[in-house]
Every structure is written in structure tokens, then in C-alpha cells.
């Protein structure tokens, strides 16, 4: 699986922000100074491993990490990996796990592609959307549409907006989420789906069809998740 690379200007800006010389940064990253110079000039590709190391060293946002291209249902992270990735993003519910640095857009999409996702992992996703409102929405929306999970993403955005309503600290996130929600609304699928619970028993499906929230019904999802159920809800 190939990845989109961290841009060379991001690589250089991160080093300058960390106030490191090329020599200091090269030693910390385990590469030569000429090699680092070529990376910063865009003359060498940035590998995912080197990008993660740079994120840790320079303390740049996780949104600067490479994104997978292409991403399919066959190469997504499993539940254990997702929990570590959420830990790496700072999610309190998995703070006890060894973190893995991953772009938040990739974490969200990989979670949405799961056939059956643990509830505690699903509940973390609105937190990610609020914590990283500047993630690569273009990449996330494009892949969600390609892989037919736009209804799942749209519903999670709606839940995130419910959490952000009337909270000044999330004002900018609310505006960004609203803009993306409008994009997804135009691509909303008519077929019924679940929120990553394809093995849901028939009896539960029938119950949720009647008792699900208005948001879940709008996005054609069989799920009982609501904003006020989340542990981090105000």
C-alpha cells in the first residue's frame, strides 16, 4: 500500500518550529544531513516511518502524517491497531495503550470500514472529529464516497455537531463540520446500513428501525448511538 507523502515544506517547517539544526534533526531521525536536506527540498520521498518519527521529534500535528493510497476494506487496521491509533491521537479512553502515530483522517476511515467495530471504538470517533477539525476532509470525504460509507461519516459528523452546539471552544469545529455535512448530504445513500455492526441480530434491527434517533433515521443507519451517551459529552 502506497501513501501520500508528508510535503517537504511541512518537513522543513517542523524542524524550524522545533528549533533544530539540520545536523541535530538528522542525528535524531537516524539519517545523514545531506539526506535530510534532500527530503526538505522534495528531492527524496518521505517514508511513513520517517514521517512518524518527524511528527514525534518536531511535535507537529498528526494531520501532517501520510495518508494511505489506496485504502480498501482489505488493508485497514484491526481493532487493536485502531485502539493504539486513538491513543496516539490523545483519546483519553485508550491513554493506557502504547500509542501509534496515525493521521486522524485515516483513523476515522479505517474505523468506518470495519464490518463489526467495538462500541468503545465507535464512541471515540466523534471525539476525533472535534479534536482535529482541520484534518484532510477532502481525502476523507472522497474515500468515504468511493467506499460507500458516507452515511456512516455523515451521521458521526451530525453527532459531533450535537456535542459542539453552544460550546464556544468548538465554534470553528462546528462550522467546519457543517460544511462537510452539506457535502455528504448531497451524496447520502438510500440503502439501509448499520454503524459498523453488520452482524447485528434481526430482532435488534427491527427494534432500532422503530426506536432509533431522528439523526440515525435521516442517515439511514440502524444504530442507537446518541451524543448524550458519550462519556465526554458535556
Amino acid at each position: 500500500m502506497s501513501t501520500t507523502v508528508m510535503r517537504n515544506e511541512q518537513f522543513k517547517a517542523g524542524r524550524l518550529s522545533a528549533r533544530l539544526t539540520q545536523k541535530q534533526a538528522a542525528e535524531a531521525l537516524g539519517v545523514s544531513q545531506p539526506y535530510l536536506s534532500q527530503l526538505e527540498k522534495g528531492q527524496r520521498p518521505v517514508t511513513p516511518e520517517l514521517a512518524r518519527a518527524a511528527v514525534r521529534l518536531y511535535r507537529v500535528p498528526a494531520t501532517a502524517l501520510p495518508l494511505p493510497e489506496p485504502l480498501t476494506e482489505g488493508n485497514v487496521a484491526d481493532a487493536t491497531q485502531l485502539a493504539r491509533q486513538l491513543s496516539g491521537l490523545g483519546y483519553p479512553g485508550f491513554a493506557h495503550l502504547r500509542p501509534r502515530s496515525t493521521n486522524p483522517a485515516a483513523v476515522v476511515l479505517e474505523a468506518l470500514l470495519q464490518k463489526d467495530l467495538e462500541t468503545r471504538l465507535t464512541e471515540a470517533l466523534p471525539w476525533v472529529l472535534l479534536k482535529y477539525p482541520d484534518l484532510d476532509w477532502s481525502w476523507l470525504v472522497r474515500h468515504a464516497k468511493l467506499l460507500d460509507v458516507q452515511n456512516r461519516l455523515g451521521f458521526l459528523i451530525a453527532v459531533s455537531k450535537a456535542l459542539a452546539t453552544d460550546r464556544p471552544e468548538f465554534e470553528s469545529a462546528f462550522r467546519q463540520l457543517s460544511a462537510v455535512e452539506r457535502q455528504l448530504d448531497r451524496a447520502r445513500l438510500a440503502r439501509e446500513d448499520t454503524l459498523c455492526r453488520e452482524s447485528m441480530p434481526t430482532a435488534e434491527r427491527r427494534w432500532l428501525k422503530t426506536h432509533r434517533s431522528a439523526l440515525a433515521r435521516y442517515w439511514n443507519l440502524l444504530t442507537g448511538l446518541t451524543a448524550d451517551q458519550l462519556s465526554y459529552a458535556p
Side-chain angles (χ1 to χ4, degrees), residues 31 43 86 92 115 157 160 167 178 213:
V31 299
Q43 297 171 351
L86 287 164
K115 294 183 182 300
I157 287 175
S160 302
R167 296 179 68 181
S178 297
S213 68

Side-chain angles (χ1 to χ4, degrees), residues 100-142:
R100 177 178 174 80
S101 298
T102 310
N103 191 298
V107 174
V108 172
L109 186 62
E110 289 184 349
L112 293 180
L113 289 175
Q114 302 289 322
K115 294 183 182 300
D116 286 284
L117 188 63
E118 295 177 34
T119 300
R120 61 189 184 128
L121 294 171
T122 305
E123 291 177 346
L125 300 179
W127 180 93
V128 176
L129 299 181
L130 288 173
K131 179 73 172 180
Y132 297 93
D134 59 340
L135 60 76
D136 192 333
W137 288 106
S138 176
W139 181 92
L140 181 55
V141 169
R142 176 166 55 88

Side-chain angles (χ1 to χ4, degrees), residues 26-77:
E27 289 177 354
L29 292 170
V31 299
S32 68
Q33 185 176 348
Y35 187 88
L36 179 59
S37 177
Q38 290 177 324
L39 286 172
E40 293 185 350
K41 293 176 181 176
Q43 297 171 351
R44 291 267 190 171
V46 182
T47 64
E49 294 76 14
L50 194 53
R52 293 189 183 96
V55 165
R56 291 191 296 270
L57 178 63
Y58 301 156
R59 296 184 181 180
V60 298
T63 50
L65 283 166
L67 286 162
E69 291 281 2
L71 183 63
T72 67
E73 293 183 14
N75 61 17
V76 299

